[in-house]
Amino acid sequence: MKLILIGFMGSGKSTIADALSHKLAIEHHDLDQLIEKQSGFKIPAYFEQFGEAQFREFEHQTLIDALELDGIVSTGGGTPVQDANFDLLVQHPTPTVFLNATDETVLKRLLKDDVESRPLFQELGATGLIELKHARQPKYEQLADIIIDVNDKTPAQIVDEIVNQL
Ligand code: S3P
């Protein structure tokens, strides 16, 4: 079984993909983790060392490889909206689940998180980040086979909703 999980930073992709992989007894491949493993750099260090454009190229190659694997692929927030990735995902037969979070949910979670682990949050600040979120929203929606509103729900509830819609 294959599944792709998309959504903005802080929408819970990694957590939900982990929980879902346990529930369905399938593997979980987290794109950011694959990038970190294969490049030898943490994401913020990669951005700092090579810049975003090179990160996007690395991300694209990693996505191509990850789509060959069975199980759940959780993407980075920016992965599906890059033109080359968008085209790839549109054509890909694997069901895509979009975790849809409000601006408030995203900001609340990211501010609680380690801000430094998100280079774009550091670069854009809260207002810029939310503008980016709004700009990306139509592409997430276009790619989604299933849209789950995640606000105020527990991971178990979200996982159940996804499973019920598969
Ligand atoms: C990014 C999101 C991050 C990571 C990188 C860029 C983005 O992943 O890929 O910092 O462009 O939204 P998460 O969505 O898992 O934080």
Side-chain angles (χ1 to χ4, degrees):
M1 180 179 198
K2 277 191 179 199
L3 213 60
I4 300 167
L5 228 59
I6 63 171
F8 199 70
M9 285 173 247
S11 60
K13 299 179 294 292
S14 305
T15 307
I16 299 305
D18 256 347
L20 199 54
S21 81
H22 282 114
K23 176 110 179 175
L24 298 174
I26 56 176
E27 283 188 53
H28 168 207
H29 312 284
D30 183 89
L31 211 65
D32 282 342
Q33 280 178 18
L34 290 174
I35 292 169
E36 290 185 340
K37 213 155 110 190
Q38 282 164 26
S39 71
F41 286 87
K42 289 282 179 196
I43 301 292
Y46 195 102
F47 266 71
E48 204 176 317
Q49 186 87 8
F50 305 109
E52 183 175 350
Q54 200 165 321
F55 172 79
R56 295 303 175 193
E57 277 188 30
F58 203 105
E59 183 182 48
H60 179 60
Q61 289 308 321
T62 312
L63 177 67
I64 292 173
D65 295 342
L67 289 177
E68 295 294 317
L69 304 171
D70 274 335
I72 304 168
V73 175
S74 58
T75 64
T79 314
V81 304
Q82 310 304 313
D83 286 343
N85 298 338
F86 184 85
D87 294 345
L88 198 67
L89 291 170
V90 159
Q91 290 161 19
H92 209 273
T94 301
T96 299
V97 179
F98 167 35
L99 300 183
N100 190 30
T102 60
D103 301 349
E104 291 72 28
T105 298
V106 160
L107 282 180
K108 204 166 62 186
R109 289 185 186 171
L110 293 184
L111 287 167
K112 230 197 277 169
D113 249 32
D114 178 10
V115 175
E116 292 188 356
S117 70
R118 303 266 188 359
L120 286 182
F121 195 10
Q122 279 185 295
E123 187 187 317
L124 300 172
T127 309
L129 199 83
I130 294 305
E131 277 170 18
L132 182 68
K133 178 176 180 289
H134 293 177
R136 287 174 173 179
Q137 184 76 10
K139 287 199 173 175
Y140 292 142
E141 289 177 7
Q142 278 178 64
L143 286 171
D145 298 299
I146 297 170
I147 300 180
I148 307 284
D149 290 326
V150 295
N151 313 291
D152 303 325
K153 289 179 189 158
T154 65
Q157 284 173 317
I158 295 166
V159 164
D160 283 346
E161 267 191 51
I162 295 172
V163 171
N164 287 338
Q165 292 193 51
L166 286 176

